[in-house]
Amino acid sequence: MRSDLMKKGLEKAPHRSLFKAMGYTDEEIARPIIGVANSQSEIIPGHIHLREIAESVKAGIRSAGGTPVEFSTIGVCDGIAMNHQGMKYSLASRELIADSIEIMAYAHPFDALVLIPNCDKIVPGMLMAALRLNIPAIVISGGPMLTGKRRGQDIDLITVFEGVGAVKSGKMSENELKELEDIACPGCGSCAGMFTANSMNCLTEALGLGLPGNGTIPAVYAARRRLAKLAGKKIMELLEKNITPRNIANISAFRNAIAVDMALGCSTNTVLHVPALAHEARLNLELDVFNEMSNKTPHLCSLSPAGPHRLQDLNEAGGVPAVMAELAKLGLIDQDAITVTGKNLRENLKGVEVIDKNVIRPVENPYHKEGGIAILKGNLAPDGAVVKQSAVAPEMLKSQGKARVFDSEEEAVESILAKKIKPGDIVVIRYEGPKGGPGMREMLTPTSAIAGMGLDKDVALITDGRFSGGTRGAAIGHISPEAAEGGLIAFVENGDVIEIDIPNKRLTLRVSDEEIERRKRGWKAPEPKIKEGYVYRYSKLVTSASTGAVFKDKM
């Protein structure tokens, strides 16, 4: 066993003594030692209850003959970090989470790992660690939040964000916004829509590294605790069979996950995280694969923020297995792929069917013939940009407008809320990429303000930053190369015409090559906006959004 490095033999008597100082018995020390990485905290609604999930996991491990050893990781609540300097630290936390688990698993050589995340960067951070370490591992998330209810209507966090714009435009009173604030988030769990956290929890399941139900069983359901116990038992089976994350997450599994991504209409942040996972799995996954899968994968689910349904609806309709079973009819799922169940998908999907065809549409009757995400290229984004095309109004799929340029999110928000943005404008927010931010902030506040003011069918937003999974409208992010690297977005000027053609996957700045060259003369990359600490170091190590914003392999 791997844990023998810290517990077996005469020379490890001091090590065993330290285990006994914590109350472990000889019998417990002799068993396989299973690390339980728990990201529970009192600052994230999706993590406030993870102590209970961890206890269920540990009960499952003990019942199957292992000894669980729990340790913690950090986590950022993207909603609370939004629209201030804290958001510069969110994406950057992903690498820190992965690194911290790597440190713990080498310093204390666990035989296997159970990973307990729930929210935005914690899920991919833990998955990256699992694929990097490549010891038996399983992920069990904390589950989605239930929706709030207001006057018979489902509401969630995005309703509150968009409510701010509604108040600013006179469409809602401050008292109504206060009412939303009080009831939109009724309890624990990852925010109630196909936002980044739930997107990644569903893709964990589709990738094969989480059990069926991992992405959709609500946080408050007893079934979530039962699934956690089962995860604890299954890790012992994976250890016995020596099934490791890279055995599961091969290129076919990644294609399965991207197909599910397109069918569900997941967050654009998956286009950052999935390539980062592939990088840790030592696989080459080009951005073009997203368009390839999108072109042939129908969009089957209309989930918040793009549509009326929520995660609990998806769960009751059959969840991710039902979506995969539907996609398998078109040959879009490799059913030979194995999963943490210890079985392949063909066995897992046997007898699975869609329970509610309003929530998961048949492949013959999709919401859209193409998947939820599109990668755009053109002179403004030669290395790619991303848009959630399923959340774009039809009239905005092909459009052009004049640029309104801002060098930070704060400047753009101030202008939007001051009603200085008019129909037909294209808001350009730059120097917010991985290097330039630093940290590639989410732009939920400006996009929600645009939507809340009723402009989402008239105004587009383009940025080298990124968007929340809760963003809707013509919001195009991840412009690569970013402004801080001298990408063309750095040279856009107010009044320039930008052409958006989502069906043909093009993003074009209508400015002559000669004029662009004139603007580039004498340009120098600006100094990082933060000049010390972790995110300063992050800005020096991080790569482009087009490669998943991972760290450089070589210094």
Side-chain angles (χ1 to χ4, degrees), residues 376-392:
L376 311 184
K377 291 190 176 181
N379 68 343
L380 194 50
D383 293 343
V386 62
V387 63
K388 185 188 276 195
Q389 61 182 349
S390 60
V392 179

Side-chain angles (χ1 to χ4, degrees), residues 166 221 271 356 358 413 416 433 458 466:
Y221 284 13
V271 182
D356 187 339
N358 290 316
V413 171
I416 293 165
D458 302 292
R466 60 194 177 91

Side-chain angles (χ1 to χ4, degrees), residues 44-66:
I44 310 176
H47 292 225
I48 192 75
H49 65 302
L50 294 188
R51 175 67 57 208
E52 300 169 43
I53 301 298
E55 290 304 321
S56 296
V57 165
K58 291 190 286 186
I61 292 170
R62 291 189 187 101
S63 72

Side-chain angles (χ1 to χ4, degrees), residues 158 162 305-306 388 391-392 444 447-448 450-452 456 468-475:
I158 306 308
E162 293 185 359
K388 185 188 276 195
V392 179
L444 180 57
T447 57
S448 295
I450 288 169
D456 55 301
S468 162
T471 290
R472 60 187 174 95

Side-chain angles (χ1 to χ4, degrees), residues 391-408:
V392 179
E395 52 266 51
M396 293 296 288
L397 290 170
K398 293 185 77 170
S399 62
Q400 67 176 32
K402 292 187 176 180
R404 292 292 307 280
V405 183
F406 303 93
D407 286 346
S408 71

